[in-house]
Amino acid sequence: MTGPRLRGYLRLILVVLAFACPGGALYGVATGGQNWGHDALRGVITALFISICIAVFEISLATHGKLAWLRQAPFALVLLARTLVYLAIIVVGLEIGRVAVGDPGSLFALNPAFKMSVAFSLAASLVFNFINQIARILGRGVLGSLVLGRYHRPRSEERLFLLVDMKDSTSIAERIGDLAFHNLLNDFFATLAQAVNAVGGDIHKFIGDEAIAVWQPKRGLRNAACLTCFFDFGRRLAADAEYYRSTYGVLPQFHGGAHIGTVIVGEMGSTKQEIAYSGAALNTAARIEQATRQFGQSLLVSDVLLSRLALPAELSAQSVGRITLRGSAEEIELFAVSSPSC
């Protein structure tokens, strides 16, 4: 596991624990008697166990471990599996909390308290995971924005875009067939999503063999996250090289273009809704991605974006020239970003 990925998972666990401790203490007091200190301790122990186990389970889903297959399983199967795992963890956590503080009785006895705990845990797990699955389909943050109507009225906001395209996709599709190529794209984009999500980005849309990743500026610029994830993606693919070659006979290569600028963000559609981006910044990012073929580079970024971030030591940038944007007299300078490790 690479450094940035490990740090990201550790931060996730720390955030979970920061909420779990006070939340568990409140739960213990609310469900206990008059001994608040005793009940709070029971709640904290229960919450710590549940939170750590669920965090480890979610990290296992997000990596290439034995549970990775579940990410691509049908909606109903994923919902059922996650709900049952959450339920088991919660019930065991309640028992561990009880035993740790020496409370009498047994949660696993078939009594009303046990039945109520199981029913509540099952309902909570089902609702949480259903919402989580819907949010996963729509994209992180999209469900909340749609429910709250944040972009019901379009607004102008700054966004950072990274467009990633698979190289030689047409020839690969002709060689392995349409069905196999669809599965290849699915694996390819799933790996890309992991790299993007690990540094606070979202996959906005898939268009053929191209994906559009988007960041809020603060997240995308921090530690050059929008660029480091491009090379992390390459490392993830390389780690799975044996799988790709044995399954599809090819290890896919890719190129990308990145830019930052102002776009219009707003709800789009009626029977099917999404949060859509439109404007010059996204068009410019697409033009930059297309220019990778012209300049023979894997990753090109605009001078505007490069001036806004500090490149980490493992990345370097070199100017490759200027291009005139289609339909505009404006010129931008492009920089090829590379990493010795990729």
Side-chain angles (χ1 to χ4, degrees):
M1 186 179 294
T2 61
R5 293 169 64 188
L6 179 59
R7 288 193 295 271
Y9 293 138
L10 290 176
R11 281 196 298 270
L12 171 62
I13 292 176
L14 289 175
V15 169
V16 168
L17 294 181
F19 283 97
C21 290
L26 291 174
Y27 168 81
V29 171
T31 58
Q34 299 300 316
N35 190 343
W36 287 8
H38 175 90
D39 295 332
L41 178 61
R42 172 175 55 82
V44 169
I45 293 173
T46 299
L48 286 175
F49 175 84
I50 293 173
S51 301
I52 291 174
C53 288
I54 289 179
V56 170
F57 172 67
E58 292 296 335
I59 290 172
S60 297
L61 287 180
T63 58
H64 295 284
K66 294 181 179 179
L67 296 177
W69 64 270
L70 191 56
R71 291 197 309 268
Q72 305 301 323
F75 181 97
L77 178 58
V78 176
L79 178 60
L80 176 63
R82 292 171 70 109
T83 298
L84 292 178
V85 169
Y86 274 46
L87 174 62
I89 291 173
I90 292 171
V91 172
V92 172
L94 290 170
E95 177 69 357
I96 286 178
R98 183 197 66 77
V99 172
V101 298
D103 283 352
S106 173
L107 182 65
F108 295 112
L110 294 178
N111 53 45
F114 174 74
K115 294 177 182 178
M116 183 177 296
S117 296
V118 171
F120 177 79
S121 299
L122 178 61
S125 299
L126 182 61
V127 171
F128 174 82
N129 282 294
F130 181 80
I131 293 174
N132 185 56
Q133 283 296 101
I134 295 298
R136 175 176 170 267
I137 292 172
L138 295 176
R140 296 193 312 173
V142 174
L143 179 60
S145 295
L146 287 173
V147 171
L148 298 175
R150 181 180 180 186
Y151 297 111
H152 186 67
R153 292 186 176 181
R155 60 175 71 180
S156 177
E157 292 186 353
E158 191 175 46
R159 288 291 188 276
L160 197 160
F161 295 99
L162 170 67
L163 276 66
V164 177
D165 183 83
M166 183 187 292
K167 290 183 179 179
D168 302 320
S169 59
T170 301
S171 62
I172 293 174
E174 291 175 349
R175 186 167 71 252
I176 68 175
D178 292 340
L179 181 58
F181 182 69
H182 175 88
N183 293 332
L184 170 62
L185 274 181
N186 197 25
D187 286 335
F188 179 79
F189 286 144
T191 303
L192 173 63
Q194 293 169 31
V196 170
N197 293 159
V199 290
D202 298 308
I203 298 296
H204 167 56
K205 186 175 292 187
F206 301 118
I207 306 173
D209 60 357
E210 178 181 84
I212 302 176
V214 59
W215 283 263
Q216 295 278 357
K218 185 177 180 180
R219 288 184 175 181
L221 295 173
R222 184 189 302 129
N223 300 321
C226 60
L227 305 185
T228 58
C229 82
F230 181 87
F231 299 101
D232 181 38
F233 176 41
R235 286 187 287 269
R236 290 171 186 254
L237 285 178
D240 290 338
E242 183 178 350
Y243 164 77
Y244 279 98
R245 291 195 174 104
S246 62
T247 306
Y248 306 109
V250 62
L251 177 63
Q253 302 299 313
F254 57 96
H255 38 64
H259 181 59
I260 189 171
T262 300
V263 291
I264 301 299
V265 190
E267 294 181 10
M268 188 73 70
S270 55
T271 56
K272 180 184 182 302
Q273 282 190 306
E274 65 176 42
I275 303 298
Y277 300 97
S278 60
L282 182 52
N283 295 335
T284 299
R287 179 71 180 88
I288 293 172
E289 187 276 318
Q290 293 165 7
T292 56
R293 302 163 182 80
Q294 175 184 342
F295 291 102
Q297 301 292 337
S298 292
L299 176 61
L300 291 177
V301 304
S302 66
D303 51 355
V304 177
L305 173 57
L306 195 62
S307 68
R308 296 277 299 275
L309 51 76
L311 283 179
E314 67 269 19
L315 299 185
S316 60
Q318 182 177 1
S319 175
V320 297
R322 306 181 70 86
I323 63 170
T324 302
L325 300 179
R326 186 180 296 114
S328 170
E330 180 185 0
E331 279 192 347
I332 59 171
E333 186 174 8
L334 299 182
F335 289 82
V337 178
S338 58
S339 170
S341 62
C342 294

